[in-house]
Amino acid sequence: MEGLRFGRIPITAVSPVVEGGQFPVKAVPGADLEVAATVFREGHDVLGVHAVLLDAQGTENQRTRLRPLGKGSDRWAGLLTPPSTGRWSFAIEGWADLFATWQHNAEVKIAADVDVEVMLAEGAALLAKAAGDDGRLAADAKTFRAAAGQLADATLAVPDRLGAGTHPTVLAAVDRLPISALVTRSAAYPIQVERDAAGRGSWYEFFPRSEGAVRDPATGEWTSGTFRTAAGRLAAVAQMGFDVIYLPPIHPIGKVNRKGPNNSLIARPADPGSPWAIGSDEGGHDAIHPDLGGFEDFAAFVGQAQALGLEVALDLALQCAPDHPWARDHPEWFVTRVDGSIAYAENPPKKYQDIYPLNFDNDPDGLSREILRIVELWIAQGVKIFRVDNPHTKPVWFWEWLLGTVNAAHPEVVFLAEAFTRPAMMRALGRAGFQQSYSYFTWRNTKEEVEEYLQEISHETPAFFRPNFFVNTPDILTEYLQYGGPAAFKIRAVLASMGSPLWGMYAGFELYEHIARPGAEEYIDNEKFEYKQRDFAAAEAAGRSLAPYVTRLNQIRRDHPALMDLSNITIQGTSDAATIAFSKHKTIHRPDGSTVKDTIIVVVNLDPHSAREGAIYLDLAALQLDPPDLDSGTGDSGAAPGTFTVDELITGESWHWGSENYFRLDAYREPAHILHVRRQR
């Protein structure tokens, strides 16, 4: 019968599916993708459900049996793990589980002495037929035939006959290739698997003009740093374990209405201005600020970064200074006011006199093509990652077009959305193609806020929204960091680096920079508007640097694959109102068929001003412990039976933990535990 929406086995509410499959689910190689569906059928027969991973040609690559989530819910879930980049899809299969149905009926009826011989005969016939199924291992077929013979052997006792049909060897063979009928497959839903940098990585931001900048003590005048001097900082960034060095705009800066220190309206002749006020008579988005060097200097910077294992991310800020060439040559790309002037950027009552926003409605094709040209130019210079400034102030259709066009030709290119705005827009940008985004993490500080946000980003939105947990930016210095002291910086670094596969920090965080401009949530003497000298080496030598701690956090991330997935967070219970605990688990399936389990438990005191203590209540099922991992209580360790060993990755200590555990975290000593569950095999 054609035109029916339900198949023989109804399959509904498949997830993750983005806008009914109009947009692909986001993934990175080796990351577990949690899939689920509601699957049911008429009557009481037992169902089985699989998720099937399909490659770009529609060929099955992987199959996993889904587990029921709750009795009577008809909801099933499990994990698929796309192995490599490219276009993939997945489908859900529901089927009648003939063996499980027979086993259940046989055990119930034979125990009640009802239809005993019929049930044994049905089991024998079922196994005998299944022995000939395509794809059945020869050894399993032999097991089925032997069991069928015993089920049919009336000379044996009934319990022995039933036991032969439900023997563990039979169950194992059924598990390898179920005995099924009425197989029904859902539609296939798209998955886009992008390279690691799209969903994993640690970012570090610095202003190249500040790195190597020199101030004349006699005159107070500055000489800008260059790409050549900034390259001298790259080794230290790489040594801290970062993967990406992100640069604010490197283009010529507008001279008209240039801003002075602390965003003042009057700039002195030597003030450098904001890099985000792009363009002057020296060029626009396709030029380099002459103080930084030329294209050869930029190429040398990129090459040195790559040699150190760093990728360079460049800011794509689609806005212009009043003296940008576009403002002269293409006034139609801007908003013209009734008096004939071009409108400044505004966030009323704030006005940004040094910036003109773009208007995509007058000449959408011309403006879009010009921006594509700019992006292609920088890709040709070796840039494969773009941090996009304020994407939420441009039409979403434009991003869908631009990112789709760029990624069709350059699938390795990654775009980060710098969007701190309403959820609908941030999520739409993810659907439109942004590989990652800034997030609300920056302002989530209390236990309730952090728990809710970790739950959201790991279980509600990971199909289309990858959060990059930046702890600070040149624009954002939260009150938590302003008043929390060094402990606050440790706490935020742990939460960011352990909570998300993507995290980042802006230079100065490791020096505990925390003085804000009065009345604002941003740094005093903001580097956006002036040069800044920092002596990182002296601070570290004096013990006034967080760099060694950050280095340890990034090393832990590299050592533990569980931390590199987004959707595997389990919030764990704590008795203290200012302490949060969560775990991340990943099972790695090796090519030889063996598995390795990696489990991390993170406990954080969110109060940077005190010591907190209490109990942690663990959901042990989320840790996926195996019997060898548990202490029997018969050894010399003194551990209670059923406990397991955790190794503290910051301090090097080890403890025996169980379902309920005492903790004490002193913010002035060490505000967090990062625990690795020790496996015994």
Side-chain angles (χ1 to χ4, degrees), residues 591-606:
D592 63 3
S594 64
T595 59
V596 176
K597 293 184 175 182
D598 183 44
T599 310
I600 297 291
I601 303 169
V602 180
V603 188
V604 185
N605 170 10
L606 301 175

Side-chain angles (χ1 to χ4, degrees), residues 202-211 233 237 240 242 244-248 262 275-276 315 387 420 438 441-442 468-478 481 489 492-493 496 503-515 521-534 536 546-547 550:
S202 50
W203 289 49
Y204 187 89
E205 175 182 1
F206 71 46
F207 285 64
R209 73 184 186 188
S210 286
E211 300 301 328
R233 177 71 181 146
V237 174
M240 282 189 285
F242 287 98
V244 176
I245 180 70
Y246 154 54
L247 307 181
N262 290 306
W276 282 273
D315 203 290
R387 179 268 200 189
F420 298 109
Y438 281 21
F441 164 77
T442 317
N468 194 319
F469 278 9
F470 262 80
V471 289
N472 68 328
T473 78
D475 290 316
I476 301 171
L477 175 66
T478 62
L481 294 177
F489 287 75
R492 297 304 293 178
W503 83 293
M505 57 184 271
Y506 155 57
F509 183 89
E510 68 268 50
L511 302 184
Y512 309 110
E513 291 180 0
H514 65 283
I515 306 301
E521 194 183 51
E522 63 181 36
Y523 294 88
I524 191 74
D525 303 328
N526 196 299
E527 195 173 2
K528 284 178 60 176
F529 306 104
E530 56 190 272
Y531 303 103
K532 188 172 289 292
Q533 282 183 323
R534 301 179 175 96
F536 295 100
L546 195 63
V550 169

Side-chain angles (χ1 to χ4, degrees), residues 297-332:
D297 301 295
F298 180 71
F301 180 90
V302 172
Q304 188 164 339
Q306 291 173 344
L308 292 165
L310 291 165
E311 282 202 64
V312 174
L314 197 60
D315 203 290
L316 180 64
L318 299 183
Q319 58 211 26
C320 300
D323 41 336
H324 190 294
W326 289 352
R328 179 192 66 225
D329 300 336
H330 292 282
E332 71 275 12

Side-chain angles (χ1 to χ4, degrees), residues 404-664:
T405 302
V406 171
N407 284 144
H410 309 281
E412 74 281 5
V413 172
V414 171
F415 292 89
L416 164 64
E418 185 264 343
F420 298 109
T421 186
R422 301 182 306 278
M425 175 59 81
M426 292 177 71
R427 295 179 179 190
L429 292 170
R431 294 183 177 98
F434 276 95
Q435 281 81 10
Q436 50 187 274
S437 175
Y438 281 21
S439 74
Y440 300 139
F441 164 77
T442 317
W443 296 276
R444 300 298 186 258
N445 297 311
T446 68
K447 178 178 181 175
E448 181 180 28
E449 289 170 346
V450 175
E451 286 183 345
E452 286 183 354
Y453 199 56
L454 289 179
Q455 181 71 18
E456 176 184 323
I457 59 101
S458 63
H459 296 293
E460 297 175 24
T461 59
F464 55 86
F465 183 81
R466 296 194 190 107
N468 194 319
F469 278 9
F470 262 80
V471 289
N472 68 328
T473 78
D475 290 316
I476 301 171
L477 175 66
T478 62
E479 289 189 1
Y480 188 89
L481 294 177
Q482 291 177 35
Y483 303 110
F489 287 75
K490 276 190 172 183
I491 289 165
R492 297 304 293 178
V494 169
L495 288 173
S497 60
M498 300 295 110
S500 173
L502 289 160
W503 83 293
M505 57 184 271
Y506 155 57
F509 183 89
E510 68 268 50
L511 302 184
Y512 309 110
E513 291 180 0
H514 65 283
I515 306 301
R517 183 165 59 86
E521 194 183 51
E522 63 181 36
Y523 294 88
I524 191 74
D525 303 328
N526 196 299
E527 195 173 2
K528 284 178 60 176
F529 306 104
E530 56 190 272
Y531 303 103
K532 188 172 289 292
Q533 282 183 323
R534 301 179 175 96
D535 195 335
F536 295 100
E540 189 165 346
R544 294 182 286 103
S545 172
L546 195 63
Y549 196 80
V550 169
T551 303
R552 181 65 187 137
L553 295 178
N554 278 331
Q555 186 60 53
I556 290 170
R557 284 164 53 88
R558 288 182 169 164
D559 291 344
H560 293 281
L563 297 171
M564 293 293 98
D565 278 13
L566 177 61
S567 60
N568 61 342
I569 292 178
T570 298
I571 303 299
Q572 303 285 359
T574 66
S575 62
D576 179 61
T579 304
I580 183 176
F582 61 90
S583 62
K584 300 193 80 174
H585 173 84
K586 185 175 181 65
T587 299
I588 300 97
H589 299 276
R590 290 176 167 169
D592 63 3
S594 64
T595 59
V596 176
K597 293 184 175 182
D598 183 44
T599 310
I600 297 291
I601 303 169
V602 180
V603 188
V604 185
N605 170 10
L606 301 175
D607 180 356
H609 303 292
S610 69
R612 310 291 298 204
E613 60 183 309
I616 296 170
Y617 309 105
L618 293 176
D619 173 6
L620 296 183
L623 308 183
Q624 297 196 25
L625 298 164
D626 296 317
D629 302 327
L630 301 173
D631 200 288
S632 64
T634 59
D636 298 327
S637 66
T643 60
F644 55 95
T645 303
V646 292
D647 298 314
E648 222 292 347
L649 299 179
I650 296 292
T651 66
E653 299 173 89
S654 298
W655 303 302
H656 297 287
W657 273 27
S659 58
E660 183 175 334
N661 312 279
Y662 170 78
F663 74 89
R664 186 177 191 276

Side-chain angles (χ1 to χ4, degrees), residues 227-439:
F227 286 128
R228 299 285 179 177
T229 61
R233 177 71 181 146
L234 292 175
V237 174
Q239 189 172 356
M240 282 189 285
F242 287 98
D243 307 301
V244 176
I245 180 70
Y246 154 54
L247 307 181
I250 61 173
H251 315 298
I253 296 171
K255 299 171 184 177
V256 175
N257 296 341
R258 178 175 289 190
K259 293 293 187 73
N262 290 306
N263 202 27
S264 62
L265 294 177
I266 305 300
R268 298 165 299 190
D271 286 337
S274 168
W276 282 273
I278 296 172
S280 72
D281 55 358
E282 297 164 323
H285 288 74
D286 52 0
I288 292 176
H289 196 298
D291 286 355
L292 297 175
F295 278 88
E296 287 186 5
D297 301 295
F298 180 71
F301 180 90
V302 172
Q304 188 164 339
Q306 291 173 344
L308 292 165
L310 291 165
E311 282 202 64
V312 174
L314 197 60
D315 203 290
L316 180 64
L318 299 183
Q319 58 211 26
C320 300
D323 41 336
H324 190 294
W326 289 352
R328 179 192 66 225
D329 300 336
H330 292 282
E332 71 275 12
W333 292 351
F334 304 90
V335 173
T336 302
R337 301 175 68 100
V338 68
D339 61 1
S341 65
I342 294 178
Y344 297 122
E346 292 187 69
N347 185 8
K350 292 182 180 180
K351 182 178 289 188
Y352 303 92
Q353 295 88 345
D354 57 341
I355 292 175
Y356 288 161
L358 296 174
N359 179 353
F360 284 80
D361 293 327
N362 295 332
D363 178 21
D365 186 67
L367 179 55
S368 298
R369 294 292 173 187
E370 172 66 358
I371 293 169
L372 176 61
R373 182 187 72 83
I374 295 296
V375 173
E376 292 278 7
L377 182 151
W378 291 107
I379 292 173
Q381 300 302 315
V383 177
K384 298 297 187 290
I385 303 178
F386 293 90
R387 179 268 200 189
V388 179
D389 190 63
N390 285 327
H392 52 288
T393 62
K394 287 80 182 173
V396 178
W397 70 258
F398 164 73
W399 295 120
E400 183 181 355
W401 174 82
L402 179 69
L403 274 57
T405 302
V406 171
N407 284 144
H410 309 281
E412 74 281 5
V413 172
V414 171
F415 292 89
L416 164 64
E418 185 264 343
F420 298 109
T421 186
R422 301 182 306 278
M425 175 59 81
M426 292 177 71
R427 295 179 179 190
L429 292 170
R431 294 183 177 98
F434 276 95
Q435 281 81 10
Q436 50 187 274
S437 175
Y438 281 21
S439 74

